[in-house]
Amino acid sequence: MLVTVDGNGRAVKVQGDPSQPVTNGFLCGKVAKYLDRVYAPDRILYPLKRKAGVAKGPLVRGREHEAFERVSWDEALGGIAARLKETAERYGPESILPYSYAGTIGVLGYGSMDRRFFHRLGGSQLARTICAEAGGQAWKLVYGKKLGTPTEDFKLAKLIVAWGGNIHGNNVHLWPMVEQARRNGARLIVIDPYRTRTAALADWHIAIRPGTDAALALGMMNVILREGLEDRAYIEAMTHGIEQLAARVGDYTPERVASWTGMRPGEVEQLAREYATTRPAALRMNYGVQRVENGGTAARAIAMLPALTGAWKHRGGGGQLSTSGAFAWDANALERPDLALRSPLGRLARTVNMSALGQALEKQGTGNREQAKEDNEPANSGPDVHALFVYNSNPGAVAPNHNAVVRGLKRDDLFTVVHDLFFTDTTDYADYILPATTFLEHTDIQGAYGHYFVQLSKQAIEPPGESRSNVWMFGQLAQRMGFEEDCFRDTPEEMIRQALAIGDDGHSTNAEMEHITMEDLEAKGHVPLAFHREPESKPFQPFVSGSLPTPSGKIEFYSEALAAQGLDPLPVFVPAVESRWSEGAKRYPLEFLSRKNDNYMNSTFANLDGHRKMEARTSQKLEIHPLDAEARGINDGEAVRVFNDRGLIHLTAMINGDLPSGVVAGRLDWAKLTPDAVNVNALTSERLTDIGAGATFYSTLVEVAKA
Ligand SMILES: Nc1nc2c(c(=O)[nH]1)N[C@H]1C(S)=C(S)[C@@H](COP(=O)(O)OP(=O)(O)OC[C@H]3O[C@@H](n4cnc5c(=O)[nH]c(N)nc54)[C@H](O)[C@@H]3O)O[C@H]1N2
Ligand SMILES: Nc1nc2c(c(=O)[nH]1)N[C@H]1C(S)=C(S)[C@@H](COP(=O)(O)OP(=O)(O)OC[C@H]3O[C@@H](n4cnc5c(=O)[nH]c(N)nc54)[C@H](O)[C@@H]3O)O[C@H]1N2
Ligand SMILES: [Mo]
C-alpha cells in the first residue's frame, strides 16, 4: 500500500502498490477507506484509567470517556506494573493471561516484544487457535508445511474450486486471477452453505450443509478410486497410506454422502469427475471449512484431493490454504522463549486456549484438551486467571460463547488492560485502556498467508495523540517491571533485523531469504522469497518431488502421528454434536452460521459509519429459508428471537431461499452496537475442533421464534 503524506505530515491518500505482483495496485473496499479509521474522531488518543466505582459493562457509544479518566503513560504503566507484580506474587504469574490475535498481522506487532514480556514475567502462554489452527494442523499433517500454489498461478487453472472460502469477500486479491482463468475457459465451483458474492458469481454453487465437508471429500475419493481417475504414478512416488485410505473411502458412496451433504448422488459423482479430469485443477480451500467440530478432519480430507489426482504436477493446479509456512522468521530471536527460565517459574508457563476464554475467565479450566483427557474433566492446571492483558484483538466481540466471556470480564477480582485504537466491546470492561497505533504509524515487517513476498511496512505518519505501538508499549512496561535484559530496549529496526536474521554480510540467514538485505527491502518494499524470484522461468510448484517434512517424508493419507494421539489416522465423517443429526437438534433444530462481513475485518471497521453503510443490507439480520420461516410463522422483515442454552439475540428476519433449509445465518458485529449489547457469539460455543482445538463458530444449533 502506498500512502501519500502532505506537507503537514497528514496522510491524504492510500492506494495499492502497482508494482506488487499480487495486489497489483488495488485495495479492497474496506482498506481503500483506511484513512477514515486513521483519522476517526473517536480514536483513543491517551491512556485511560477506569474511574473508581464505575461498574464494568457495555457503555453508551460516544460516551465511553465518562467512565474513564485520562492519565499519563507514566502513570498508566506504573499502575499496571504494580498490579501485575502484586497479582504474580499473590496467585503466581500464570494467573496473568495475555490475549491477542493478529492486529494488522505485522511480524513485530503480532508476536515479538509482547512474547518476550510474558515469557520473562511467567504469564500464561496463549494457544492462538481462534482462526486457523484446525486447518493449519490438518494441512501440516498431510504435507508437513503450509505451502501451496502461488496466488499468481491460479490464473493458469482450468478449474478452480473455492471450498469453504469466500474469495470475493475475504480474499479479493485472488479474484483477478480467478477472472483471468475464467476468461481462458476455467470453471469456478464454490462449496459453501451460504450464497456468498463468490458463490453467486460461480459456475456451480454447491450449498453444502455445514460441517459435512469431510463426507463430501471422502465421497469424491470414493468415486475417483472407483473410476480409476487417480494418478497412480504420483501416488506411488509421493504419498503414504493409499491402501488404508482406499479401504476407508469404500464406505462413502455417493448415496450416503448425498444424504449428509444435501446434494444429489449424481452431483457428488459429477464433482469428483470434473475435479479429477480437468487440468490444471486448483483448490482454494479456506478456513471457513475448519470452523466446525469435524473441521480439522474436513480440512485434512480436502487437502488430500490434489494428492490423489496428482494435481500438483500441473502448473496452476494444486491448492492453497495458506502460504505462511514459507516465511522462516527467526522466532526464537523475536520471542525469546529462553526468558521463561528467568521468570519466577523457571520454565515455560502453562498454555490457555484462546477459543475457550469464557471457561478460563469463569475459572472452569484452560481449554487444554490433552490435559482434559488425562483428568477426565475440564483441565485446570495452574491458577485461575486474575489479570487479562488484551491487545490485537477484541474478544468482547469475536470470542465464542460471548455471554460466558462477559461474565468473566465482569468479575470484580479480574484486572483487565486493553491496548486498542477504539472503544470496543472489550474496552468497556477494561481497568486501563492504552492507545494503539495503526500500521501507518509504526514500522513492521510482513509475511503473508496468500503470497510469497516479504514486505517492509514503513511508518508513514506520526502516531496521533499519545498512541503507541505494541513494541513500544511492551518494551516500556518491561522496564517498569524491572526486567533488565537488553532485548526490552530493542528498536523496531533492530527487531526487523533479528526477524530476518541478518548476518555479517548484510544478508538474511533465514531459509529462502538469503538474498534479502535491509537495503533491498527499503528500496523495493517487497521482495519475493528465493523460490519465487523467477516465477516465469522457474515456477514454484510445491509437492511434486522430494521428501516432505512429515513423519513418513511423504504426503500422508494415513497419519501415525494422529493415531499416536488416539485419533483416527484416516479421515472420517463425524456429524457435529451441534448439527441436525444430534440429540440437541430436538430443541434447537436450526444450524446457525455466524458469518463475517465482506466490508469489515472480523470486528475491525464495524464502528465506522462508511463501512457500516456498505453492510446495511445484512446487518442485524437473520437469514432464514422460506420453509423454516413458514414453519415458525415468520415473515420477511419481522423481529425474531434467535436462541439456545447459551444465549439469546434479537434480529430481523430476512427470507433467503438460497440457504439450505435448516440453516440460518447472521453476521458478526460489535455487541455494543446492537440494542441488547449482544452479538452472534452469544450463541456460539466453546466446543473445540477435532484437530487443533480451534473454535467451532459454524457448528451452532439454535431455535428461532417471532419476537
Ligand atoms: N472482507 C473480509 N475479509 C476477511 C475477513 C473479514 O472479516 N472480512 N477476515 C479475515 C480472516 S481473519 C480470515 S481467517 C479469512 C477467512 O476467510 P475464509 O476462510 O473465507 O473464512 P470464513 O469467512 O470464516 O468462511 C468462508 C465461508 O465458509 C462458509 N462455511 C461455513 N461453514 C461451512 C462448512 O461447514 N463447509 C463449507 N464448505 N463452508 C462453510 C461460510 O459461509 C463462509 O462463506 O478472511 C480474512 N479476510
Ligand atoms: N462468530 C464469529 N466469530 C468470529 C469469526 C467468525 O467468522 N464468526 N472469525 C474468527 C476469526 S477467523 C478471527 S481471526 C477472530 C479475529 O478476532 P480479532 O483478533 O479480535 O480481530 P478483530 O476483530 O480484527 O480485532 C482486532 C482488534 O485489534 C485492534 N488492533 C489492530 N491493530 C492493532 C495493533 O497494532 N495493536 C493493538 N494493540 N491493537 C490493534 C483493532 O483495533 C481491533 O479492535 O475472530 C473470530 N471470531
Ligand atoms: Mo481469521
Side-chain angles (χ1 to χ4, degrees), residues 7-204:
N8 301 319
R10 191 180 168 89
V12 291
K13 186 179 168 194
V14 295
Q15 65 194 106
D17 180 350
S19 74
Q20 219 287 5
V22 177
T23 56
N24 251 319
F26 92 94
L27 299 176
C28 68
K30 57 199 182 306
V31 171
K33 291 192 205 297
Y34 205 76
L35 295 181
D36 291 356
R37 175 169 166 85
V38 173
Y39 294 115
D42 53 344
R43 252 190 87 170
I44 301 173
L45 299 178
Y46 308 101
L48 298 167
K49 182 182 176 185
R50 181 170 293 271
K51 285 181 184 162
V54 178
K56 295 181 177 181
L59 295 165
V60 177
R61 191 180 178 204
R63 291 179 52 189
E64 292 96 339
H65 270 286
E66 294 169 12
F68 298 91
E69 58 186 294
R70 180 177 167 181
V71 292
S72 65
W73 266 104
D74 203 44
E75 212 181 322
L77 292 169
I80 294 166
R83 182 70 184 254
L84 293 183
K85 277 183 201 163
E86 188 193 309
T87 306
E89 268 157 35
R90 194 151 157 210
Y91 303 104
E94 286 172 310
S95 66
I96 301 168
L97 179 67
Y99 191 94
S100 75
Y101 200 59
T104 42
I105 327 194
V107 171
L108 305 189
Y110 176 72
S112 63
M113 200 62 95
D114 56 320
R115 308 297 160 98
R116 293 176 185 181
F117 178 83
F118 289 109
H119 282 315
R120 176 66 182 79
L121 175 71
S124 284
Q125 301 188 82
L126 186 73
R128 291 179 171 77
T129 56
I130 202 160
C131 172
E133 201 53 25
Q137 283 198 24
W139 187 274
K140 282 195 268 184
L141 281 162
V142 179
Y143 293 105
K145 208 170 176 182
K146 283 208 256 180
L147 289 177
T149 306
T151 297
E152 301 92 310
D153 281 2
F154 274 70
K155 59 178 178 277
L156 304 173
K158 287 284 182 250
L159 173 67
I160 296 174
V161 181
W163 200 323
N166 177 10
I167 297 174
H168 202 287
N170 294 353
N171 178 204
V172 71
H173 291 104
L174 179 58
W175 189 253
M177 321 294 169
V178 176
E179 281 189 323
Q180 207 170 323
R182 296 177 88 186
R183 278 198 295 275
N184 294 326
R187 266 167 58 88
L188 172 68
I189 300 176
V190 173
I191 305 174
D192 191 318
Y194 187 86
R195 195 166 179 84
T196 59
R197 301 209 291 227
T198 323
L201 289 163
D203 296 289
W204 184 13

Side-chain angles (χ1 to χ4, degrees), residues 30 101 131 163-167 169-171 191-194 196 208-213 286-289 291-292 449 593 595-603 698:
K30 57 199 182 306
Y101 200 59
C131 172
W163 200 323
N166 177 10
I167 297 174
N170 294 353
N171 178 204
I191 305 174
D192 191 318
Y194 187 86
T196 59
I208 191 171
R209 289 180 184 147
T212 63
D213 303 85
N286 219 323
Y287 289 108
V289 80
R291 301 189 211 293
V292 295
Y449 64 104
L593 295 176
R595 302 183 60 261
K596 298 179 186 24
N597 301 270
D598 290 347
N599 300 293
Y600 309 154
M601 233 327 273
N602 304 305
S603 76
Y698 301 149

Side-chain angles (χ1 to χ4, degrees), residues 37 392-394 398 419-420 470 594 596 603-604 681 697:
R37 175 169 166 85
N392 285 356
S393 183
N394 181 13
V398 305
H419 187 219
D420 206 316
N470 298 3
S594 57
K596 298 179 186 24
S603 76
T604 299
N681 277 326
F697 294 110

Side-chain angles (χ1 to χ4, degrees), residues 273-328:
R273 287 183 197 130
E274 185 170 347
Y275 176 72
T277 59
T278 312
R279 293 189 179 106
L283 184 68
R284 177 50 169 148
M285 179 183 12
N286 219 323
Y287 289 108
V289 80
Q290 47 100 68
R291 301 189 211 293
V292 295
E293 291 170 34
N294 194 211
T297 300
R300 196 165 156 260
I302 297 164
M304 290 174 187
L305 288 168
L308 201 62
T309 62
W312 296 106
K313 293 194 322 203
H314 314 284
R315 186 173 177 204
Q320 191 192 95
L321 173 65
S322 171
T323 61
S324 62
F327 297 87

